[in-house]
Amino acid sequence: MTNRRTLLTAGLSGLSLAMLGGTASFAQAATTSGKFVFIILRGAMDGLTAVVPYGDPNYQSFRGAIALDGPGGPNGTLPLVDGFGLHPALKEMHGLWQKGHMSFMHAAASPYRERSHFDAQDLLEAGTTQMTSARSGWMNRALAMLPNGPHQEGVAIGRTIPLVLRGPAKATSWAPPLAPESDMDTLARLSDLYAGDAMLSNALAMAIETDRIADGGTMMGGNEGRGRQGAYAPLASAAARILAAPGGPAGAVLSFEGWDTHANQGGAQGQLANRLEALDSAIKALREGLGPVWATTTVVIATEFGRTVRVNGTGGTDHGTGGVSFLLGGAVKGGKMLGDWPGLNRLYEDRDLVPANDVRHLFAQGLTNAWGLDRQAVLSRVFTA
Amino acid sequence: MSLNAVIAANRFGLGARPGELGQIARDPKAWLMSQIGNAASTNLPANGLLSSAQAFEALQSYQQARAAQQRGAQSPNPAVNFDERVRLADLISKTTGPEIEARIQHAVTTPAPFAERWVQFWSNHFTMAARNFQTTPFPGSFEREAIRPHVWGRFEDLLVKADTHVGMLIYLDQAQSIGPNSQAAQNQQGRRRAAGLNENLAREILELHTLGADGGYTQADVTEFARALTGWTVAGPRLRRLAQGAEMGTTIFVSALHEPGSRTILGKNFPATGERQALDILAHLARQPSVAKRIAFKLAQHFVADDPPPALVTRLENAFLQSRGDLSALAKTLVQSPEAWTPEAQKFKTPNDFLLSTMRASGANATSTQALRSTFEQLGQTPWRAPSPKGWPDVASEWAAPDAILKRIDWANLAADVIGETFQPLAFAETALGPALTDKTKTAISRAQTARQGIVLALMSPEFQRR
């Protein structure tokens, strides 16, 4: 079978820098006036649901009830390369794939090998091999390599500047004027923490109920009320407006939260599918908001780590290692699967997708593509240390 | 580290700053004792802040401009309202605005947070709130002049300083009260605005500052006390002439306003001693056993539990009686009482406690406290804006409403971004809570999706929400 052979071949080959980049198409796309957008999916997105390795012989048995199928089935995915399908909620992104404006890297990971969200996010953003006291981020260090000018600036959509954008180069932040509400996930965790504390648990339960009624009963479900941590599109639209403005910054960072699906993750539909749909809407909002600027835009989507290959006892997945990352945008000449597929017959620590590919190579690819920076210079000056 | 360090920092103090728990742990009781009776510990430097007399002058200019404009206005004019707003904002920006900032900054940074909690307790006991433009300029100078210098002295002295301060005289309408048979009232008869007795201050002294609502006084006692208090007023532009040489905006006694005669209060006769009469009554009130009982209960309730242990209340009551109302002796007794050191934190933090302890734990400095004013307002406890002379409530049932909890969570979500720039979530929780941090909370924090969520869980944990 073609699918299986493709996977097998990929599994045997090692990842090298040469393999990842250096193609003529990338080099041609390089232009100094491009825009770079980095989207961090905080909470660890399940890569095996976003990009389904339906061709892998072990996939169905590991994923059971939450497994998706290859293109065409009832829980069918959207076709990528042989053996891999995109989650059906990611329609906009699939459209980009079909136009050759998207690539993806599976089994991607930063050098981090533990399972703490914040430490993992820190290292993902630092872009270093291990955490140093320097506390600057890779996107900022790359900005510092751009020619001086108003363009040489990064904007964070949010109330503070995340680590990835901190450092010597100019960085700013913009937050929606509304005071942010705590999301349902945080409230659920507090409810757990308050178990046994009658006063606080009763007060919180009543508050959540009142809020639900005030929101017209939609709170637990989709993208309204406090459940609206899934509403990423408005943030993407804001980023687009700022980037597309005359003299706008060269880069933007967006943080999308809520990917920590320990329970009732769902498959083609459900909790994670809703998140993916929101992510897809955000990409669409970004493309539409950027207008003509989209043609010179490169977007990288990454998460701090993947999730366990096996489903846990509550229909969810736990903290893992290898995940999936995307490179897309009008400036991307892609349509490729980047890196190596390690297969599911051997798992990292007998639980996780093997971290076969260093996600920093994809970051370097994105920076090179967007800003016309020299690839070797990016790799040596931004991603070492 | 012993739990006592955490209790000293949180229950007695305003929460630990980074590294503070370690210092306190050497000897938690000694750390508290060293703050008692120490005038420096309660002093708030008045750099750039207006004295009550200066605040009074600012109020005068405001009122004059307001009156002039009202006279000049032929018809309702939107510009009038606008100018009025600008002037009021200007008055606030000269007085209460910087006072609130200075107070928050002091509470967040002071190395003597037990002394500061002690100040805030007494400031709330003698509530002087900003409730309109006449009172807005004064709460800050009231606290700095009438409360802070006297909280380690005798209760009687504090009572006199608080209830004869310009701010309090205006807040509880004493400044306008005139004896019906006073010389001034006789001269005024037949005029448009007949002057009269105002019982407000007398009533609140009896009900709130001393005996308590069930303290055994009658309406007759209130009226008699109000008569005795007449004459105590503020040196305004006109009255100043009656009290020769008095500085504008200071407390004066004007004999011409005083109700002549002797007074009977709580069955005791107070002869017509003029200025001394009200002071003698205050001294008598301060010595009533019901005052000792009431202060003991309020202190125990504030520091230990909404429903305080009776043994602690009795201990404090005896200390009050034996020391004749020595507030330092009272504070020392509190620190030495075993009931105050129960491991379980029973007091739910007020918004004020929650915000101050959060800022202290995050190592906030002067500049980072500036934006906090509006936060106190959002969480329902703007400094010196208590809804009534009774002051802020001191029990959880008043503060733990569902909506209030949600507001705290939402604010914690904002604060977590800032805190996260300096702290990892678990390190932050350990800084603030030390050994009081439970395994359950630790686990929840370490499993959080983002650093921000981890810090929100730390701030909203049952152990951080209580003291």
Side-chain angles (χ1 to χ4, degrees):
Chain A
M1 274 174 68
T2 326
N3 292 350
R4 208 173 286 180
R5 197 176 63 231
T6 309
L7 287 162
L8 187 64
T9 315
L12 288 172
S13 64
L15 174 77
S16 72
L17 289 180
M19 207 189 123
L20 263 178
T23 60
S25 55
F26 276 120
Q28 280 162 8
T31 148
T32 49
S33 62
K35 304 288 184 185
F36 180 74
V37 180
F38 182 47
I39 298 176
I40 312 172
L41 307 180
R42 296 185 192 274
M45 177 183 67
D46 181 37
L48 294 177
T49 295
V51 175
V52 175
Y54 63 85
D56 192 291
N58 295 303
Y59 168 74
Q60 285 288 343
S61 59
F62 277 130
R63 284 305 173 108
I66 65 165
L68 283 84
D69 298 320
N75 289 318
T77 49
L78 308 169
L80 295 169
V81 295
D82 274 353
F84 292 89
L86 195 62
H87 191 282
L90 298 173
K91 292 185 179 64
E92 164 78 14
M93 285 166 67
H94 192 252
L96 295 174
W97 170 267
Q98 287 172 318
K99 293 193 188 90
H101 289 319
M102 182 177 99
S103 295
F104 70 95
M105 176 190 272
H106 223 314
S110 81
Y112 182 78
R113 290 294 174 270
E114 305 298 321
R115 293 186 179 85
S116 152
H117 289 296
F118 348 117
D119 291 349
Q121 288 166 27
D122 267 3
L123 197 65
L124 184 81
E125 295 179 54
T128 48
T129 305
Q130 53 196 355
M131 223 40 213
T132 67
S133 55
R135 307 289 296 170
S136 74
W138 58 262
M139 199 166 146
N140 188 292
R141 295 195 296 272
L143 274 171
M145 294 169 70
L146 292 181
N148 291 334
H151 181 71
Q152 189 195 17
E153 184 187 355
V155 61
I157 306 301
R159 293 183 304 276
T160 59
I161 296 172
L163 178 60
V164 69
L165 202 51
R166 284 188 229 159
K170 196 175 162 201
T172 182
S173 66
W174 180 90
L178 286 175
E181 291 179 332
S182 357
D183 54 88
M184 267 313 295
D185 179 70
T186 302
L187 297 185
R189 285 166 195 250
L190 278 171
S191 296
D192 288 347
L193 190 54
Y194 289 170
D197 187 317
M199 186 185 84
L200 288 172
S201 58
N202 289 341
L204 184 59
M206 283 171 68
I208 291 173
E209 177 60 15
T210 310
D211 219 58
R212 191 185 63 78
I213 295 165
D215 280 345
T218 59
M219 190 170 178
M220 299 302 294
N223 297 332
E224 290 172 62
R226 281 174 191 271
R228 85 167 84 102
Q229 66 170 355
Y232 309 135
L235 301 177
S237 297
R241 277 196 303 278
I242 295 168
L243 288 169
V253 178
L254 291 146
S255 291
F256 295 164
E257 295 173 12
W259 299 89
D260 199 16
T261 47
H262 285 284
N264 307 318
Q265 174 174 311
Q269 276 98 38
Q271 195 193 148
L272 182 53
N274 291 343
R275 291 271 174 275
L276 290 168
E277 192 180 344
L279 171 65
D280 198 62
S281 306
I283 300 302
K284 184 163 184 261
L286 194 62
R287 177 176 59 78
E288 290 174 350
L290 284 168
V293 179
W294 173 255
T296 59
T297 296
T298 305
V299 182
V300 164
I301 305 174
T303 191
E304 67 260 33
F305 43 64
R307 308 191 69 85
T308 47
V309 173
R310 293 180 188 88
V311 182
N312 67 19
T314 55
T317 50
D318 298 317
H319 301 181
T321 308
V324 80
S325 191
F326 297 95
L327 177 70
L328 55 86
V332 172
K333 307 284 189 291
K336 290 184 178 63
M337 176 174 179
L338 305 173
D340 188 6
W341 173 249
L344 295 175
N345 55 341
R346 182 179 58 88
L347 302 183
Y348 179 71
E349 295 186 350
D350 192 34
R351 51 177 276 160
D352 304 338
L353 179 59
V354 171
N357 307 307
D358 190 332
V359 73
R360 293 179 298 170
H361 292 138
L362 182 133
F363 297 168
Q365 197 62 65
L367 290 171
T368 309
N369 194 55
W371 291 340
L373 296 172
D374 177 71
R375 180 177 176 75
Q376 282 311 318
V378 168
L379 284 169
S380 62
R381 284 164 63 185
V382 174
F383 289 110
T384 54
Chain B
M1 190 191 295
S2 83
L3 195 57
N4 278 359
V6 186
I7 293 171
N10 293 344
R11 191 174 305 167
F12 289 89
L14 297 167
R17 287 183 64 84
E20 204 170 32
L21 285 181
Q23 296 163 25
I24 300 170
R26 277 179 242 138
D27 191 341
K29 279 188 190 166
W31 180 73
L32 294 170
M33 286 299 206
S34 70
Q35 300 175 43
I36 299 172
N38 176 353
S41 69
T42 58
N43 183 48
L44 189 156
N47 302 336
L49 302 175
L50 302 188
S51 69
S52 50
Q54 291 168 323
F56 188 84
E57 288 196 38
L59 176 64
Q60 289 298 307
S61 335
Y62 163 80
Q63 282 180 301
Q64 280 157 14
R66 188 170 188 264
Q69 189 163 40
Q70 280 173 354
R71 276 195 304 274
Q74 300 300 315
S75 59
N77 176 354
V80 173
N81 292 331
F82 180 74
D83 289 352
E84 169 64 15
R85 275 181 198 200
V86 170
R87 276 196 302 271
L88 190 57
D90 182 57
L91 179 67
I92 291 169
S93 76
K94 282 182 184 137
T95 55
T96 311
E99 290 280 2
I100 290 178
E101 272 165 24
R103 188 196 209 227
I104 294 171
Q105 181 189 325
H106 182 68
V108 167
T109 55
T110 177
F114 172 45
E116 189 62 15
R117 179 177 286 286
W118 191 256
V119 165
Q120 295 197 355
F121 171 84
W122 289 108
S123 190
N124 194 49
H125 179 78
F126 293 104
T127 288
M128 194 262 116
R131 67 168 181 208
N132 49 26
F133 73 79
Q134 288 96 334
T135 49
T136 284
F138 298 106
S141 51
F142 168 80
E143 188 176 279
R144 285 184 293 106
E145 294 165 5
I147 303 291
R148 290 183 180 276
H150 307 291
V151 292
W152 298 127
R154 295 175 63 233
F155 176 75
E156 181 186 328
D157 295 330
L158 178 60
L159 176 68
V160 169
K161 297 292 180 198
D163 283 325
T164 61
H165 189 271
V166 169
M168 189 67 86
L169 295 177
I170 294 173
Y171 175 58
L172 292 178
D173 308 311
Q174 177 59 32
Q176 295 104 291
S177 185
I178 293 173
N181 300 302
S182 67
Q183 202 186 318
Q186 304 294 332
N187 298 345
Q188 269 193 350
Q189 268 184 1
R191 291 208 201 152
R192 188 162 48 93
R193 258 177 70 191
L197 197 64
N198 190 307
E199 293 180 353
N200 204 8
L201 178 62
R203 182 182 307 283
E204 303 302 22
I205 290 175
L206 290 165
E207 182 186 329
L208 300 173
H209 300 170
T210 59
L211 307 180
D214 52 359
Y217 62 91
T218 64
Q219 174 56 40
D221 289 325
V222 174
T223 311
E224 278 287 87
F225 189 19
R227 290 183 183 123
L229 280 165
T230 51
W232 285 95
T233 187
V234 180
R238 270 167 298 181
L239 283 177
R240 212 149 60 108
R241 270 171 277 148
L242 297 172
Q244 275 127 2
E247 190 195 340
M248 174 97 120
T250 58
T251 297
I252 49 172
F253 181 80
V254 180
S255 304
L257 302 173
H258 183 62
E259 179 74 359
S262 66
R263 307 265 80 90
T264 301
I265 288 167
L266 303 177
K268 182 175 159 61
N269 182 264
F270 292 88
T273 51
E275 180 172 1
R276 279 246 38 106
Q277 193 177 48
L279 300 178
D280 290 342
I281 295 168
L282 284 170
H284 182 65
L285 291 174
R287 282 180 222 127
Q288 298 304 305
S290 55
V291 173
K293 199 183 214 65
R294 189 154 168 275
I295 298 296
F297 182 86
K298 279 189 79 171
L299 278 172
Q301 187 179 56
H302 178 78
F303 279 92
V304 179
D306 292 0
D307 191 8
L312 176 63
V313 178
T314 306
R315 202 190 296 274
L316 290 167
E317 185 183 347
N318 290 337
F320 190 102
L321 292 169
Q322 279 158 22
S323 69
R324 300 173 66 87
D326 179 344
L327 302 180
S328 286
L330 218 49
K332 285 174 189 160
T333 303
L334 180 70
V335 172
Q336 300 290 7
S337 295
E339 298 88 353
W341 296 87
T342 50
E344 195 199 348
Q346 298 182 69
K347 288 298 291 184
F348 180 64
K349 288 180 181 177
T350 62
N352 182 65
D353 289 334
F354 171 54
L355 291 171
L356 293 179
S357 58
T358 300
M359 296 305 282
R360 286 183 69 88
S362 66
N365 56 25
T367 45
S368 48
T369 60
Q370 276 175 4
L372 268 184
R373 248 170 77 187
S374 59
T375 306
F376 279 80
E377 198 171 328
Q378 283 155 20
L379 296 193
Q381 200 177 17
T382 314
W384 304 311
R385 291 291 295 271
S388 84
K390 204 174 171 183
W392 299 109
D394 211 357
V395 289
S397 54
E398 299 280 346
W399 294 112
D403 177 62
I405 301 290
L406 213 47
K407 278 190 176 134
R408 285 190 196 199
I409 300 172
D410 286 344
W411 181 75
N413 218 12
L414 276 174
D417 273 345
V418 182
I419 294 168
E421 288 180 7
T422 322
F423 287 94
Q424 287 290 303
L426 209 49
F428 174 72
E430 277 160 359
T431 287
L433 293 163
L437 181 63
T438 60
D439 287 344
K440 192 177 174 188
T441 299
K442 258 190 226 176
T443 306
I445 292 171
S446 59
R447 285 185 183 159
Q449 287 200 58
T450 59
R452 178 205 293 157
Q453 189 178 55
I455 291 167
V456 172
L457 294 174
L459 288 173
M460 292 310 299
S461 66
E463 55 266 46
F464 193 82
Q465 286 296 315
R466 292 194 176 81
R467 62 180 177 90

